[in-house]
């Protein structure tokens, strides 16, 4: 079966998840938030108190890891060993640990086939950091979505339910994560040479999706 794969990469808070969801609805296909998988790894590292910087321990941990997606109409459910962990993976602590542990080549290798296997049977929009560069170099359409740091931080801040939130610390964390993700050796965050770059600083989600649809439908 030949499937149509669309990739959306970019830094945190650029709007990738919302855009991917809407685009996949318009195209009647699934969307896959690969960041959730790295968050699932971080969640299990924390829960099991894994010394992930020790390569031997990390290998054993990854061998036992059992992450899975259940695709629902309005979103994705992340399962770990049969348990729904979707609601536990969006904390700032998990964001930071997902960013640092995802720099480990072993972690990336452990998730690679899982991502590619989904694409074998389903048309899909995949969002992440290395979709167009490493995981799906032959994707039909590749986009790289970005926006000014302060705008991304404001968007993330507005999504947070916590009363004690603080926009400056959200921005600081985002900047650290961007640096981690783009400077690591293994599959760093960067636009694929053939990706179409979209700056969403002054665009709404609908405008971004319209731009993408025009490009996809023109081809
Ligand atoms: O997309 P997100 O913010 O939920 O991703 C959390 C972290 O996971 C991100 O800081 C880096 C890592 N990640 C990655 O390395 N590769 C991906 N394809 C997706 C996420």
């Amino acid at each position: 079966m030949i499937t149509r794969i669309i990739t959306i990469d970019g830094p945190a808070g650029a709007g990738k998840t919302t855009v991917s969801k809407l685009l996949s609805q318009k195209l009647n296909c699934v969307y896959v938030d690969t960041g959730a998988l790295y968050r699932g790894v971080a969640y299990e590292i924390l829960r099991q108190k894994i010394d992930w910087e020790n390569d031997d321990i990390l290998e054993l941990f990854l061998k036992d890891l059992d992450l899975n997606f259940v695709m629902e109409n309005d979103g994705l459910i992340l399962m770990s060993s049969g348990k729904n962990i979707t609601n536990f993976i969006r904390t700032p602590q998990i964001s930071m640990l997902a960013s640092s542990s995802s720099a480990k080549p072993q972690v990336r290798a452990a998730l690679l086939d899982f991502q590619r296997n989904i694409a074998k049977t389903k048309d899909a929009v995949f969002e992440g950091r290395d979709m167009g560069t490493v995981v799906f170099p032959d994707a039909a359409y590749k986009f790289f979505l970005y926006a000014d740091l302060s705008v991304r931080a404001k968007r993330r801040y507005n999504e947070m339910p916590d009363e004690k939130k603080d926009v400056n610390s959200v921005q600081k964390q985002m900047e650290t994560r961007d640096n981690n993700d783009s400077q690591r050796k293994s599959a760093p965050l960067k636009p694929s040479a053939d990706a179409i770059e979209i700056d969403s600083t002054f665009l709404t989600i609908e405008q971004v999706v319209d731009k993408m649809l025009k490009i996809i439908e023109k081809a």
Side-chain angles (χ1 to χ4, degrees):
M1 177 180 180
I2 296 179
T3 54
R4 179 165 73 167
I5 301 304
I6 296 167
T7 62
I8 304 181
D9 290 305
K16 297 188 302 291
T17 304
T18 330
V19 164
S20 305
K21 257 191 205 174
L22 191 57
L23 184 65
S24 68
Q25 280 165 10
K26 302 253 183 199
L27 295 173
N28 198 19
C29 66
V30 300
Y31 90 95
V32 183
D33 165 11
T34 62
L37 294 173
Y38 291 93
R39 288 173 181 274
V41 170
Y43 171 84
E44 286 297 344
I45 286 176
L46 276 180
R47 191 182 69 81
Q48 301 177 37
K49 300 191 173 66
I50 301 294
D51 177 9
W52 61 273
E53 284 171 295
N54 176 315
D55 284 345
D56 294 335
I57 296 176
L58 181 63
E59 295 282 351
L60 284 176
F61 162 74
L62 290 170
K63 260 216 319 253
D64 275 351
L65 189 72
D66 175 23
L67 294 175
N68 224 325
F69 277 130
V70 177
M71 316 231 174
E72 293 222 324
N73 291 339
D74 55 343
L76 279 180
I77 303 215
L78 181 67
M79 311 289 287
S80 179
S81 301
K83 184 175 153 236
N84 180 350
I85 61 166
T86 318
N87 293 336
F88 309 126
I89 59 171
R90 303 278 158 203
T91 66
Q93 186 187 22
I94 295 225
S95 299
M96 292 312 287
L97 185 56
S99 177
S100 41
S101 57
S102 67
K104 284 277 190 188
Q106 303 94 309
V107 171
R108 310 204 69 80
L111 299 178
L112 193 61
D113 283 348
F114 179 73
Q115 297 169 79
R116 287 185 177 155
N117 281 337
I118 300 176
K120 279 188 189 150
T121 55
K122 292 182 182 77
D123 289 347
V125 178
F126 278 83
E127 59 126 323
R129 302 292 187 288
D130 61 339
M131 297 297 101
T133 49
V134 174
V135 183
F136 301 111
D138 299 325
Y141 302 95
K142 297 180 183 179
F143 296 100
F144 191 86
L145 191 60
Y146 63 96
D148 286 353
L149 174 64
S150 60
V151 170
R152 289 189 283 122
K154 204 53 167 291
R155 286 179 189 161
R156 189 50 55 86
Y157 171 84
N158 287 336
E159 288 165 7
M160 292 166 76
D162 184 357
E163 296 297 306
K164 286 178 285 192
K165 60 190 181 178
D166 155 30
V167 75
N168 291 328
S169 65
V170 173
Q171 178 162 330
K172 198 103 221 90
Q173 269 210 0
M174 212 170 234
E175 196 173 14
T176 309
R177 209 142 69 85
D178 286 352
N179 288 340
N180 282 346
D181 296 346
S182 50
Q183 282 164 21
R184 68 182 177 220
K185 285 205 182 71
S186 192
L189 165 67
K190 66 169 182 201
S192 172
D194 52 354
I196 295 161
E197 298 190 30
I198 299 178
D199 179 353
S200 76
T201 308
F202 302 110
L203 298 179
T204 64
I205 294 298
E206 286 75 16
Q207 286 171 325
V208 172
V209 171
D210 274 356
K211 257 181 188 285
M212 291 177 169
L213 280 173
K214 284 212 176 81
I215 290 163
I216 293 168
E217 280 156 8
K218 208 166 66 190

